[in-house]
Each structure stands twice: as structure tokens, then as C-alpha cells.
Amino acid sequence: MSINQKNPLSNLNLSGLNKLEAKKVNKVNKGLKATFKTESLDAPVNLGVLQTLTGTWVGPGFNLIEVPNMNQAKPGPPPTDKFKIILNSTSETFTFSSIGGDIINRGNAQQDIAFMGLHYLQQVNDVNLPSGKNGIHLETGLFLNLPNGTDPAVQPSIARLGSIPHGDSLLAQGTFFTINGGPQFDIADPTPFFIVDGKRQNKTSDTYLSQLKNAVPPAGIPQEVIMNPNILLENAIKGQNITQTIVILLDANPVDGVANPGVTAPVGGITNIPFINVNANANSLSAIFWIETVQNPDGSTFLQLQYTQTVILDFPVFAPDGSVVEIKWPHISVATLRLQETK
């Protein structure tokens, strides 16, 4: 059985929505006859860089999340440990399938636009937990190849619309470009931080850093990856001949010091159920996807997908004097996936 036949998204489409209806213009009365003209769109309708994503990608990764230590619910003095760290060595399947038709958005301040997109299904498991009890992330949604526009005046972009069973829905958007060679990775910093004058300011006391520095990584994950998960991405491509990389930058409600360079609010956002908002509010996302063409020694090539993603969680903790400290907590995920061959 081919991967496409197994693909749970393969039957989803927009049947009947693949064309703009004919618009009546320049009507000419000639007895019972009338002439009509269909108004064309300015931009070609295609998947663009998203075309390369179509298919199923599989590979390993790493997940780091800082979660509340029930610090608000416990009676008595503030707990010594302000938070807990969960580390996962992961196995991931990321499936992308074409939407069966053009997506039409009706204009008013400007003409109608049409674009194309992909359904996606992301499934992440912890490799060290037993089958059936190892799922740590499930996400469904869309990637959209959006055209430029006049009102609002925007350049072509990629949008990601995602839903997570915890009770979170996100809309992230950003630019894309192609480079020769492989990616360059910045630091993915898990240090908790404040926002001071609009800028990130890390909380570097032992109270907040000791758990990170003393954490024991899962089997197969180097210790230094905890303080910079992007090291795992660097290690994965050592010795590879990457000839070309498509880069997609995505942000939702960007935070300075976490967001991609040059991104400022307002861009996208995250909406959560009330439980999430009160207990561990997910409020910002920044991600980079690298779609890499890797050349083997014999000249053949394969496609590889790497990504790094940081979600910012808000949950307050108690200071030693009992006062409440508002602080932000990075949740970082990385993975290196390869496109599976169809049969």
C-alpha cells in the first residue's frame, strides 16, 4: 500500500470551490442574448515553495518544555522548585496533502484573491515510552501560500493555521526565501525571561537555571542540547552536502528576543481555552522550517525537512517573599525529517 493510500488527509478537498464564478460585466442586450466576461486574478494560483512539502516526512527530534510545579495551588510556603522540566527524545511523522481546489477570498477594498494550500497532520511520540502511551503532540491544520495584495499592501507570504487538542489554535505567518547551501542555526535559548522595555531579559539566577543545567537528557541526546536544542539540528547535517535550502519563517504574536529577525507585532496569534489561559498560557510562537536538498556522493538527491520552534508559556511563580513573579517560559521543539518515497 502506498503512503498516499495510508494518508488520512488524502480525501480532504474543497470540491466545488476551485474556480471563481463568472462575473457579469459589460452586459449587452441583444434580444435574449447577453455576453459575460470572467474577471481574472492578477497572480498565478499555485503552491509555490509549499509544493516541496507534499508527502510524508519521518525522523527524530527533541522536545523541551518547562511546566508549572503546582506553585499556585500548593498550600504553605512557596516551593523551592519554581517549575518542572520535561525532556523528550522524539520520533515524528509530518504529513502534508494538497487541498483539492483553489481557496477563494472575496475582496472589497481590493479584488478577490485566490491561493492554494496544504492540509497537515503532525504526530510526535516519545521514543522512550511504551507504544500507545508515547504520544506527546498531535496537531492538524493548514499551510497556505498567500499572494501579494494592495489593501492591505502585503508581499507574498506563508501562513500556518494549526489546532492542538490541549485547547490551542494558532495562526502564524511569515516570509520565505531560497539559499544555496545549508542552513545556519542560531541559539534556541530555553532560559526563562522577563520582558523589560519590550526586550527579552533572561532570568539567570540559579533558582531558574539550575534545573536546566542539571537536567539529565534522554538517551542519545547530548547534554549541551538542553541549553541549545538547535545543536541537535547541526549534528544531524554534519558531513551532508546540502545544495539548496528553502527557508520559511513563521511567527504568531512575536516576542522580541524569540521571534524571527525583523518581525514585529501584530502578526498572527494564539487562542486558548480558559484552562490554558489561567494555568500555562501559550501566547507566542516562532518557528523556522528548512526544506533541504541533500546530494549523495553518487549525485542522487533526497529531501530533508528540519525545523526549530519556540512557544512561549506564561505561568506565574512565587518569589521567596511570597510575591507573584510574572515570567515567560520557552517550550522548544526541533526535528530532522526525511521525505518518504511513495510506492
Side-chain angles (χ1 to χ4, degrees):
M1 183 177 288
S2 71
I3 286 176
N4 285 337
Q5 289 173 312
K6 294 179 180 178
N7 182 359
L9 302 176
S10 59
N11 294 324
L12 298 176
N13 60 57
L14 287 177
S15 178
L17 298 181
N18 62 337
K19 293 182 179 179
L20 285 172
E21 69 270 22
K23 293 185 177 180
K24 299 178 181 180
V25 295
N26 299 332
K27 183 175 180 180
V28 180
N29 292 319
K30 294 182 179 180
L32 298 177
K33 294 183 178 180
T35 60
F36 302 93
K37 181 173 68 175
T38 300
E39 188 168 282
S40 62
L41 298 172
D42 294 330
V45 181
N46 56 54
L47 283 171
V49 297
L50 296 183
Q51 181 65 53
T52 313
L53 282 176
T54 304
T56 297
W57 306 75
V58 176
F62 174 69
N63 179 76
L64 179 154
I65 183 169
E66 297 155 316
V67 297
N69 191 24
M70 295 292 290
N71 51 75
Q72 298 291 303
K74 288 180 178 179
T80 302
D81 294 334
K82 306 296 184 185
F83 61 101
K84 297 178 182 178
I85 296 175
I86 299 174
L87 306 176
N88 310 98
S89 179
T90 61
S91 174
E92 181 167 338
T93 301
F94 215 147
T95 301
F96 297 86
S97 297
S98 296
I99 295 173
D102 300 345
I103 301 164
I104 310 303
N105 274 13
R106 305 302 175 180
N108 185 25
Q110 70 162 78
Q111 291 184 345
D112 296 346
I113 62 171
F115 49 88
M116 297 185 72
L118 298 172
H119 300 284
Y120 77 85
L121 173 61
Q122 183 185 26
Q123 301 172 91
V124 184
N125 294 326
D126 186 316
V127 300
N128 295 310
L129 294 176
S131 179
K133 298 181 180 179
N134 59 346
I136 62 171
H137 186 76
L138 173 68
E139 183 176 332
T140 60
L142 304 169
F143 271 62
L144 306 176
N145 180 36
L146 301 178
N148 61 351
T150 58
D151 198 346
V154 293
Q155 295 299 311
S157 63
I158 301 297
R160 169 185 169 192
L161 289 67
S163 295
I164 300 97
H166 291 296
D168 315 84
S169 292
L170 69 94
L171 190 159
Q173 191 168 353
T175 59
F176 59 90
F177 52 90
T178 300
I179 59 174
N180 293 323
Q184 300 293 318
F185 302 108
D186 293 327
I187 293 175
D189 186 356
T191 308
F193 63 94
F194 298 103
I195 298 293
V196 179
D197 296 328
K199 304 289 185 181
R200 175 177 182 165
Q201 182 174 303
N202 281 357
K203 188 66 175 175
T204 55
S205 68
D206 284 344
T207 300
Y208 294 92
L209 281 187
S210 59
Q211 283 201 59
L212 287 164
K213 291 183 176 180
N214 297 327
V216 178
I221 302 296
Q223 182 72 38
E224 62 268 22
V225 168
I226 295 175
M227 292 307 297
N228 180 13
N230 282 353
I231 289 175
L232 202 65
L233 301 182
E234 293 178 345
N235 292 345
I237 64 173
K238 283 182 179 177
Q240 289 186 344
N241 179 21
I242 300 176
T243 59
Q244 180 179 276
T245 302
I246 297 170
V247 184
I248 300 175
L249 309 177
L250 296 170
D251 287 276
N253 191 27
V255 171
D256 188 84
V258 179
N260 286 300
V263 177
T264 57
V267 175
I270 301 176
T271 301
N272 310 298
I273 62 174
F275 181 90
I276 298 292
N277 290 335
V278 171
N279 289 276
N281 182 31
N283 67 84
S284 176
L285 175 145
S286 182
I288 307 178
F289 287 77
W290 295 276
I291 310 169
E292 304 155 355
T293 300
V294 186
Q295 187 175 63
N296 294 312
D298 64 2
S300 62
T301 61
F302 64 89
L303 289 178
Q304 183 168 265
L305 174 63
Q306 294 190 294
Y307 74 81
T308 180
Q309 174 177 288
T310 300
V311 175
I312 300 303
L313 305 180
D314 283 349
F315 55 87
V317 298
F318 283 119
D321 62 4
S323 62
V324 174
V325 179
E326 302 289 345
I327 195 166
K328 296 185 178 295
W329 308 86
H331 165 26
I332 303 173
S333 304
V334 300
T336 301
L337 316 173
R338 290 194 182 185
L339 183 63
Q340 303 301 289
E341 294 183 2
T342 56
K343 298 179 180 179

